[in-house]
Amino acid sequence: MQHNQAEPYKIKVVEPISMITKEERIKAIKEAGYNTFLLKSKDVYIDLLTDSGTNAMSDNQWAGLMLGDEAYAGSENFNHLENAVRDVFGFQYVVPTHQGRGAENLLSRILIKKGDYIPGNMYFTTTRTHQELNGGIFTDVIVDEAHDPRIEIPFKGNVDLNKFEKLINEVGADRIPYICVAVTVNMAGGQPVSMKNLREVKALAQHHEINVIFDATRCVENAFFIKEQEEGYQNIPIIDILREMMSYADGCTMSGKKDCLVNIGGFLAMNDKDLYIKATQYVVIYEGLHTYGGLAGRDLEAMARGIYESINEDYISHRISQVRYLGQKLIDNDIPVVKPIGGHAVFLDAREFLSHLLQDLFPAQTLAAQLYIESGVRSMERGIVSAGRDKNGSNRHPKLELVRLTIPRRVYTNAHMDVVAESCIALHRNRKLIKGLRFLYEPSVLRFFTARFEPVE
Ligand code: PM9
């Protein structure tokens, strides 16, 4: 695999960025309660908070915005989106939503009854929250290896079929409305799921009449890994890999803000007509009419076009190569990262990086704040803060305590990646001087977004 590929595009519009001084950054992060979500974007130099909605759209997508049909009902752009989803993903019915969690809300409300179990290949923050708000109990059925950042195996996002079957035997299939399979697995480090595993999950679920729902948010990145690493797929076009992947699901939720290459949007897609009819009833309560789902016609158009751009072989190959470029630089300099490098981000192993800090001192939150102070690079905590509290009110202690350096699509060059790598290396040299944090304010739901902290002396 070639690591340093040139961008398969030319840059037509630029957005200037600049770095404020270290003193200003110390002040800014203090004012943000040591939470990178609360920083002002103008105070950030290189923004690796998330790959969500931070994509650079193409000239073709911007042109599509001008063709927005802003009718309340029956917009032409909805037809374009519906056709794109049918063509590329193979699902018959599509309900647009304002973003991924809108689709998760609809799905959870329709399918989950109080006391139901929802197996999944590792939790995702918004996904689990919607499941729990509807009385569901999330159960992790990912392979054990996914919880260890050092184990380097392909398809580390796979579902452990024994764990899935054990849950079915324990609680009964009638209490499992669906299994949620994320392709790729964000919280595990952007790790993919193999086609073989998807096929086997489908067979087991079908046998017990359990629905399979994909979290398709980064499904094109997953398809790339299958093409590269799974026997028999090297000469298959990405679009066909994607279609085969989706053939093992009954439906999917999608945050279009990632792989669909837009700044806002999402959808719920499925093949079952009854599920679709129910979704059209809920969507008008929570999002908007079933043909716009909280989006403008122009947003629907941009997403329809983005779906086709995302399956371009040069695009997706360069995308993954850029993430690997950063990852390899860090590995070469002995910076602890999750291995193998995943699809959308490089994850620093904060537990190892700040091995002198207990998990209750929030090593990943601390490291993200310190990286910002060091270099103006914004990253995101993915550890104990993101994991939240269990139903008894105790902090969950996830094995993975990570800082995510998330690469927006088509936004930065490898020169930016060099700066990020150098910043991490410099911080690592002085890691022993770094102290932890404690909560000043802790919200009750999805606390990582708005929590505030102060340094522990
Ligand atoms: N992911 C991310 O930065 C943005 C919000 S959480 C910090 O990774 C998956 C796998 C996601 C995801 C969002 C959503 C929700 C669902 N599944 O943000 O509502 O990574 O569009 O999607 C974020 P929306």
Side-chain angles (χ1 to χ4, degrees):
M1 178 69 205
Q2 190 187 340
H3 286 300
N4 195 3
Q5 295 179 26
E7 286 76 7
Y9 47 82
K10 293 191 285 185
I11 297 167
K12 183 146 43 183
V13 176
V14 295
E15 179 184 342
I17 51 173
S18 60
M19 178 143 58
I20 59 173
T21 64
K22 187 161 187 180
E23 288 66 37
E24 289 168 327
R25 295 199 295 275
I26 291 172
K27 190 163 167 274
I29 195 74
K30 189 171 177 207
E31 280 172 13
Y34 296 88
N35 184 347
T36 52
F37 274 99
L38 301 181
L39 285 167
K40 294 185 179 116
S41 154
K42 70 174 177 53
D43 293 337
V44 173
Y45 177 41
I46 298 175
D47 202 347
L48 305 190
L49 181 73
T50 177
D51 62 330
S52 180
T54 53
N55 300 310
M57 292 207 296
S58 67
D59 51 357
N60 179 47
Q61 285 176 294
W62 279 100
L65 295 186
M66 290 307 293
L67 300 176
D69 171 0
E70 306 307 344
Y72 189 90
S75 160
E76 184 59 17
N77 310 114
F78 170 72
N79 296 336
H80 296 167
L81 176 66
E82 191 180 53
N83 290 341
V85 174
R86 281 183 180 158
D87 179 26
V88 176
F89 295 85
F91 293 117
Q92 196 52 29
Y93 302 107
V94 188
V95 178
T97 56
H98 76 286
Q99 56 185 83
R101 70 199 72 180
E104 292 170 348
N105 178 34
L106 302 181
L107 181 80
S108 305
R109 282 176 183 274
I110 296 166
L111 288 184
I112 300 174
K113 294 188 307 301
K114 194 169 180 339
D116 279 350
Y117 288 81
I118 321 297
N121 51 347
M122 203 174 269
Y123 85 100
F124 184 70
T125 53
T126 59
T127 320
R128 183 173 66 192
T129 300
H130 281 296
Q131 291 165 358
E132 289 175 350
L133 286 173
N134 286 284
I137 302 158
F138 166 80
T139 310
D140 191 2
V141 294
I142 201 167
V143 293
D144 284 341
E145 290 88 341
H147 292 280
D148 187 334
R150 286 158 302 188
I151 297 182
E152 201 166 354
I153 52 163
F155 302 111
K156 217 175 155 183
N158 279 355
V159 171
D160 183 326
L161 293 158
N162 292 328
K163 288 186 191 172
F164 182 25
E165 193 158 29
K166 187 161 168 272
L167 182 72
I168 299 171
N169 293 335
E170 271 171 20
V171 305
D174 55 335
R175 291 182 69 194
I176 306 177
Y178 64 95
I179 177 169
C180 176
V181 184
V183 286
T184 60
V185 185
N186 188 353
M187 301 300 278
Q191 305 298 337
V193 182
S194 71
M195 193 73 90
K196 178 170 180 286
N197 191 248
L198 294 177
R199 210 178 287 131
E200 288 169 348
V201 168
K202 176 65 182 167
L204 181 57
Q206 201 165 27
H207 180 72
H208 292 278
E209 295 182 11
I210 296 169
N211 287 305
V212 177
I213 303 289
F214 285 175
D215 179 339
T217 297
R218 298 184 180 85
C219 59
V220 185
E221 291 170 4
N222 199 101
F224 178 84
F225 285 103
I226 290 176
K227 182 171 176 115
E228 185 189 58
Q229 292 170 24
E230 193 160 349
E231 208 189 320
Y233 286 93
Q234 279 67 48
N235 297 319
I236 310 285
I238 288 287
I239 185 170
D240 292 337
I241 296 177
L242 210 48
R243 284 178 182 145
E244 184 184 342
M245 282 168 62
M246 295 300 155
S247 75
Y248 303 127
D250 299 288
C252 77
T253 55
M254 169 62 96
S255 168
K257 301 170 72 174
K258 284 81 166 174
D259 269 2
C260 299
L261 290 167
V262 286
N263 304 121
I264 194 71
F267 58 81
L268 176 63
M270 69 291 276
N271 285 323
D272 182 78
K273 194 165 182 187
D274 289 343
L275 180 58
Y276 170 67
I277 301 282
K278 285 185 187 138
T280 59
Q281 291 165 10
Y282 279 102
V283 75
V284 292
I285 305 172
Y286 295 104
E287 303 283 319
L289 195 69
H290 63 289
T291 53
Y292 78 81
L295 297 170
R298 53 182 173 271
D299 299 325
L300 299 170
E301 186 63 34
M303 190 152 56
R305 292 177 184 220
I307 287 172
Y308 282 107
E309 290 180 18
S310 73
I311 53 173
N312 176 285
E313 309 272 334
D314 290 339
Y315 153 75
I316 188 63
S317 165
H318 173 263
R319 159 82 180 142
I320 304 290
S321 84
Q322 186 173 49
V323 177
R324 284 179 175 158
Y325 176 85
L326 174 61
Q328 198 55 48
K329 282 223 146 185
L330 295 175
I331 291 170
D332 291 347
N333 285 280
D334 296 326
I335 307 297
V337 295
V338 173
K339 290 180 187 163
I341 302 297
H344 65 302
V346 177
F347 289 68
L348 300 175
D349 180 1
R351 199 188 273 278
E352 171 89 25
F353 200 116
L354 299 181
S355 55
H356 58 290
L357 292 188
L358 294 172
Q359 196 172 22
D360 287 306
L361 290 173
F362 310 126
Q365 188 77 31
T366 305
L367 185 54
Q370 289 299 325
L371 182 62
Y372 171 73
I373 292 172
E374 168 71 30
S375 59
V377 173
R378 171 153 69 170
S379 57
M380 185 193 291
E381 190 267 6
R382 298 275 76 164
I384 181 170
V385 180
S386 294
R389 292 181 184 272
D390 62 23
K391 62 178 186 308
N392 304 318
S394 307
N395 272 323
R396 294 185 176 109
H397 286 84
K399 288 200 182 128
L400 296 175
E401 179 70 22
L402 309 175
V403 169
R404 193 180 69 176
L405 302 164
T406 339
I407 321 292
R409 296 170 185 77
R410 306 192 290 207
V411 171
Y412 293 115
T413 66
N414 283 359
H416 293 105
M417 298 302 117
D418 290 339
V419 172
V420 174
E422 282 157 21
S423 309
C424 294
I425 294 162
L427 199 58
H428 193 244
R429 265 188 231 114
N430 297 318
R431 62 191 180 279
K432 295 284 181 226
L433 302 174
I434 298 175
K435 294 179 183 152
L437 295 169
R438 67 170 159 245
F439 272 116
L440 264 182
Y441 160 65
E442 184 187 351
S444 56
V445 189
L446 295 172
R447 62 185 184 177
F448 60 95
F449 280 124
T450 53
R452 302 186 75 83
F453 301 83
E454 64 179 357
V456 174
E457 284 311 318

